[in-house]
Amino acid sequence: MKTNKLSWMIAFVLLALMFAGLYVLEQTLPPTTMLFTILKKSVIYALIAVSMNLLNGFTGLFSLGQAGFMVVGAYTFAILTIPVQHRAMVYQYYDGGIVQFALPAALGILAAGAVAAVFAFLVGLPVLRLKSDYLAIATLGFAEIIRAFIQYEGLGPLTNGSNLLRRFPTFTGIIPPFAIVAFCIFIIVMLIHSTYGRALKAIRDDETAAEAMGINLFFHKQLSFVISSFFAGVAGALLAMYQGSIQAASFKSSMTYEILLIVVIGGMGSISGSILASFLFIASSEWWLRFLDNELFIGTFKVPLLRSGFRVVVFSVIIMAVVLFYRRGIMGDREFNLRFLTRGRSKAKERKNG
Amino acid sequence: MAEKMLELQDITMQFGGVVAVNNLSMHIDQGEIVALIGPNGAGKTTAFNCVTGMYRPTNGQVKFEGKVIVANYPQGKMKSMYAGENKGKYKHEVAPTPDKITRMGIARTFQNIRLFKTQTAFENVLIATHLHRTSNPFTATFRLNYKEERQMRELALSMLEMVGLQDSKDELATSLPYGKQRRLEIARALATKPKLLLLDEPAAGMNPQETHELGQFIVDIKNRFNLTVFLIEHHMDLVMDISERIYVIDFGKLIATGSPDEIRENQDVISAYLGVDEE
Ligand SMILES: Nc1ncnc2c1ncn2[C@@H]1O[C@H](COP(=O)(O)OP(=O)(O)OP(=O)(O)O)[C@@H](O)[C@H]1O
Ligand SMILES: [Mg+2]
């Protein structure tokens, strides 16, 4: 119990240091720096990956609906927060749309999570009573249908059809997305360490035994699915804020696969793995490997292979290597912990006693 | 005066064309230790699974403390396929999920040990205290249930101490030696606070010394927690030692019932077991 409290304290100190570091960066670097773009996107992906891990890694339910719940969240946020004076312009083909009020961004983010959670509840109702395999199919189907549905002309006054939604609030700095994501992940970690989290892990390990210990499978699976989708919805809202404009067509199922890949690379059942993998994944796909897409001459020598598209090839190879050689991901199902900082102390104590 | 704790009435379980349990009727009184024995494949585990809700029997009903908790009659394609007896005697269906039955006060262990493999011994037992929670996901996440959480941990720890596993509490459950895993399963079942404990071959894989100790342990916990015990076991020494009554089944059918002494002498039982190796 004591070491547990200590590691929480260390985590909080590190978190405070991180925010201090971000603040310093923001004060010193120009706001257009690539680093900020990457960090913002990474931290949002970290939330999506952790929410997916709650379901796939901690509950053992295989779902492919993350992009679907994100698009629900993104649209809920956008529809509810576009300032009234901009609506005529955004909804130019639909007479300014039917929603004629605007919520503050914070409420919009909460609503994004809530609406995604309601959709998850409805999808889970019939599906989660069946064997787990059906969930992947149902959620994938849901993601495709909801995307098409949003673009449906008849819903134009609400969703703007297949046109962009824009002019909603965006981030003013790098601190807000980090703060929101840190808070959300904190809640997920607390849930996982609660008695409900233990029940979820029991279901993952052995459904039959879990049920024999009095754990209602349907209720707990539904719980995990709804909470996971709530945070996917929140992440959708954050992604909208990050991008500045959204379009349903861009929330493809390839987005879900990308996130699944992050979860697998980080390690199923490891929160810190998912976070770490999100930053590595976004940084290497959008930044570190960029140079591979540009032709490069050293003197008159043209470096072979470097051309537009080569980045994707290299990236795929790296991912294949990770999946092949670290089959259980970077972290397995362990967490990054700072025991090594406290170990010296307890060893010393042992020596004194022994 | 002895109240019937558990009662199986005409339980038949048919898988396709195979009748695994055939018209089995039996009862267990409050406070008894009753054994169910029979050769391999006789249908013992299947009978357990019908009581705990893991299987839905094809016909018959199960009563617990006088209340029908499981009931069924041949339906669907079983209407024509049904090869058992007492067709038409039962007309309603009661099919709770296993977790509901556990919450009524029936806990079990598994023949092929089923511990939560990524969890420590302590966590395995702790999970079994979840069913009596009063917290909801919100209060649990924000630790408003810290008092209850502490009680859960104390209960889990005391169960581990009772089976003598307190020193292994932080070890991965599946890394424990076989005998300890069996005892851990019992501790986990007890943490659900059952009235009736079903043990499916708890002594499997144990040597005679361990088996003897397990027998004493079962009697011990029965008295301490005021339990009723329903036991499946192949170790005859253990069965004869601790059971008050024994039911014997072969090919799903009841072939004998009585006290250990009566069963020892029963000709049907002897011939059913003849040529069948005792493990
Ligand atoms: N789910 C199932 N589907 C089909 N047949 C089954 C199923 N479960 C059990 N059976 C069959 O029912 C019969 C009885 O099996 P059961 O496991 O109940 O025997 P048992 O008495 O527990 O044997 P053992 O002593 O080996 O544990 C066997 O023929 C088995 O193949
Ligand atoms: Mg068996």
Side-chain angles (χ1 to χ4, degrees):
Chain A
M1 282 309 253
K2 271 228 181 79
T3 52
N4 210 343
K5 256 196 195 128
L6 196 63
S7 40
W8 276 110
M9 264 161 60
I10 294 172
F12 276 116
V13 170
L14 282 184
L15 216 56
L17 284 177
M18 181 190 81
F19 278 106
L22 287 173
Y23 180 76
V24 170
L25 279 181
E26 202 157 41
Q27 297 306 310
T28 48
L29 296 177
T32 51
T33 310
M34 185 64 172
L35 179 68
F36 290 138
T37 315
I38 295 298
L39 284 178
K40 272 189 228 166
K41 186 163 184 190
S42 300
V43 81
I44 294 167
Y45 265 63
L47 178 58
I48 312 165
V50 169
S51 79
M52 192 170 194
N53 209 341
L54 172 65
L55 199 60
N56 292 32
F58 287 92
T59 320
L61 286 173
F62 195 63
S63 149
L64 293 172
Q66 237 57 12
F69 295 110
M70 281 168 69
V71 75
V72 168
Y75 267 79
T76 304
F77 174 80
I79 290 168
L80 292 177
T81 60
I82 296 172
V84 177
Q85 70 267 28
H86 295 313
R87 289 197 182 251
M89 190 217 283
V90 174
Y91 286 93
Q92 53 181 322
Y93 304 111
Y94 300 100
D95 299 331
I98 50 164
V99 179
Q100 288 303 335
F101 61 88
L103 296 179
L107 281 184
I109 293 173
L110 270 181
V115 173
V118 168
F119 272 100
F121 181 82
L122 296 176
V123 173
L125 221 47
V127 173
L128 288 176
R129 288 185 196 279
L130 306 173
K131 278 269 163 273
S132 306
D133 325 348
Y134 294 96
L135 186 65
I137 301 162
T139 48
L140 193 62
F142 164 75
E144 292 300 315
I145 290 167
I146 197 78
R147 194 158 51 90
F149 197 63
I150 287 172
Q151 298 180 63
Y152 165 59
E153 275 299 302
L155 279 180
L158 186 65
T159 64
N160 213 14
S162 52
N163 308 300
L164 282 177
L165 275 180
R166 56 207 165 89
R167 299 257 164 170
F168 43 78
T170 55
F171 295 124
T172 47
I174 192 161
I175 306 284
F178 270 79
I180 295 167
V181 169
F183 182 63
C184 291
I185 292 181
F186 170 73
I187 291 175
I188 295 175
V189 170
M190 291 286 280
L191 172 77
I192 286 171
H193 285 100
S194 77
T195 183
Y196 285 88
R198 293 194 292 263
L200 300 185
K201 286 184 262 182
I203 291 172
R204 169 194 68 188
D205 283 357
D206 190 330
E207 270 195 28
T208 305
E211 207 174 19
M213 293 306 121
I215 294 169
N216 183 327
L217 294 184
F218 173 70
F219 173 80
H220 286 86
K221 286 177 178 177
Q222 182 76 307
L223 179 74
S224 175
F225 186 47
V226 167
I227 292 177
S228 165
S229 304
F230 175 89
F231 288 111
V234 168
L238 298 183
L239 197 68
M241 295 179 82
Y242 160 81
Q243 293 176 345
S245 67
I246 51 166
Q247 199 168 19
S250 67
F251 290 83
K252 294 199 187 64
S253 47
S254 60
M255 194 176 213
T256 299
Y257 300 136
E258 224 170 63
I259 298 153
L260 181 62
L261 206 57
I262 291 176
V263 172
V264 171
I265 290 173
M268 288 273 207
S270 170
I271 297 289
S272 38
S274 289
I275 299 171
L276 192 65
S278 301
F279 281 84
L280 291 177
F281 186 94
I282 299 297
S284 39
S285 73
E286 314 239 331
W287 193 14
W288 295 339
L289 299 180
R290 279 272 171 214
F291 72 94
L292 295 171
D293 272 0
N294 303 320
E295 295 187 351
L296 178 68
F297 289 89
I298 301 177
T300 54
F301 172 70
K302 181 176 179 295
V303 180
L305 293 174
L306 293 190
R307 66 182 62 113
S308 175
F310 186 57
R311 176 174 62 106
V312 182
V313 177
V314 173
F315 191 56
S316 310
V317 171
I318 293 178
I319 283 169
M320 260 159 64
V322 171
V323 173
L324 280 177
F325 296 112
Y326 291 86
R327 186 142 313 156
R328 306 185 51 229
I330 305 173
M331 302 291 292
D333 61 0
R334 287 158 308 173
E335 292 298 342
F336 174 73
N337 71 46
L338 299 149
R339 283 277 154 73
F340 64 93
L341 287 178
T342 58
R343 196 178 294 151
R345 241 180 45 164
S346 55
K347 273 242 179 77
K349 211 186 278 166
E350 247 165 57
R351 234 174 284 137
K352 217 168 65 188
N353 296 343
Chain B
M1 281 143 312
E3 259 176 70
K4 274 184 190 162
M5 187 94 201
L6 184 76
E7 200 175 357
L8 278 71
Q9 296 176 328
D10 308 310
I11 287 294
T12 300
M13 180 80 236
Q14 185 173 342
F15 297 108
V18 180
V19 183
V21 175
N22 196 346
N23 210 43
L24 177 64
S25 294
M26 57 178 291
H27 72 272
I28 302 172
D29 290 335
Q30 150 79 41
E32 269 190 313
I33 298 182
V34 169
L36 178 63
I37 64 170
N40 287 110
K44 306 180 293 293
T45 300
T46 306
F48 257 32
N49 288 342
C50 289
V51 173
T52 59
M54 253 178 84
Y55 291 161
R56 187 177 303 183
T58 317
N59 193 41
Q61 66 181 18
V62 179
K63 282 185 180 171
F64 180 60
E65 295 183 312
K67 224 178 78 211
V68 175
I69 59 165
V70 169
N72 201 9
Y73 59 97
Q75 305 181 59
K77 65 178 200 278
M78 268 301 155
K79 248 187 229 165
S80 53
M81 279 177 74
Y82 186 61
E85 295 160 48
N86 285 312
K87 190 176 182 174
K89 184 166 170 186
Y90 299 92
K91 291 195 171 55
H92 60 297
E93 184 182 341
V94 184
T97 46
D99 59 292
K100 292 217 179 67
I101 291 184
T102 307
R103 251 173 281 151
M104 291 173 197
I106 303 179
R108 71 172 294 172
T109 65
F110 294 91
Q111 178 174 359
N112 47 344
I113 303 174
R114 302 190 83 126
L115 292 164
F116 302 118
K117 55 184 179 295
T118 67
Q119 311 291 304
T120 65
F122 177 66
E123 285 163 340
N124 262 274
V125 183
L126 193 53
I127 286 163
T129 65
H130 183 67
L131 81 168
H132 294 302
R133 71 194 177 275
T134 56
S135 65
N136 59 44
F138 183 84
T139 57
T141 298
F142 294 100
R143 300 296 183 275
L144 304 174
N145 67 337
Y146 63 97
K147 273 188 197 133
E148 186 178 67
E149 176 77 20
R150 190 165 15 147
Q151 285 162 3
M152 284 175 160
R153 287 172 182 276
E154 281 164 8
L155 175 67
L157 197 59
S158 71
M159 291 301 150
L160 274 182
E161 277 166 4
M162 198 183 49
V163 298
L165 286 176
Q166 64 274 30
D167 294 334
S168 313
K169 86 187 221 313
D170 294 322
E171 281 176 50
L172 213 54
T174 42
S175 73
L176 295 173
Y178 206 66
K180 285 189 179 179
Q181 290 194 23
R182 289 243 173 248
R183 276 187 283 154
L184 181 56
E185 266 218 343
I186 297 178
R188 188 177 67 172
L190 288 175
T192 66
K193 299 187 178 164
K195 298 173 194 160
L196 173 66
L197 182 62
L198 307 188
L199 301 171
D200 197 346
E201 303 201 18
M206 289 188 179
N207 64 35
Q209 173 64 23
E210 286 172 323
T211 305
H212 178 73
E213 284 169 13
L214 180 75
Q216 293 314 303
F217 174 71
I218 292 171
V219 174
D220 203 40
I221 54 170
K222 189 209 99 169
N223 293 331
R224 173 133 43 132
F225 295 103
N226 200 12
L227 290 174
T228 304
V229 178
F230 185 13
L231 172 78
I232 293 176
E233 191 46 69
H234 278 298
H235 285 77
M236 282 310 140
D237 302 344
L238 176 63
V239 171
M240 297 296 169
D241 224 20
I242 66 170
S243 359
E244 280 141 70
R245 288 185 302 119
I246 298 174
Y247 288 88
V248 190
I249 59 174
D250 193 15
F251 295 109
K253 266 195 110 51
L254 192 65
I255 57 169
T257 165
S259 69
D261 288 331
E262 287 163 356
I263 294 299
R264 228 189 300 257
E265 250 106 79
N266 187 302
Q267 267 314 312
D268 292 338
V269 177
I270 294 169
S271 55
Y273 269 99
L274 213 61
V276 180
D277 293 329
E278 260 187 46
E279 277 180 66

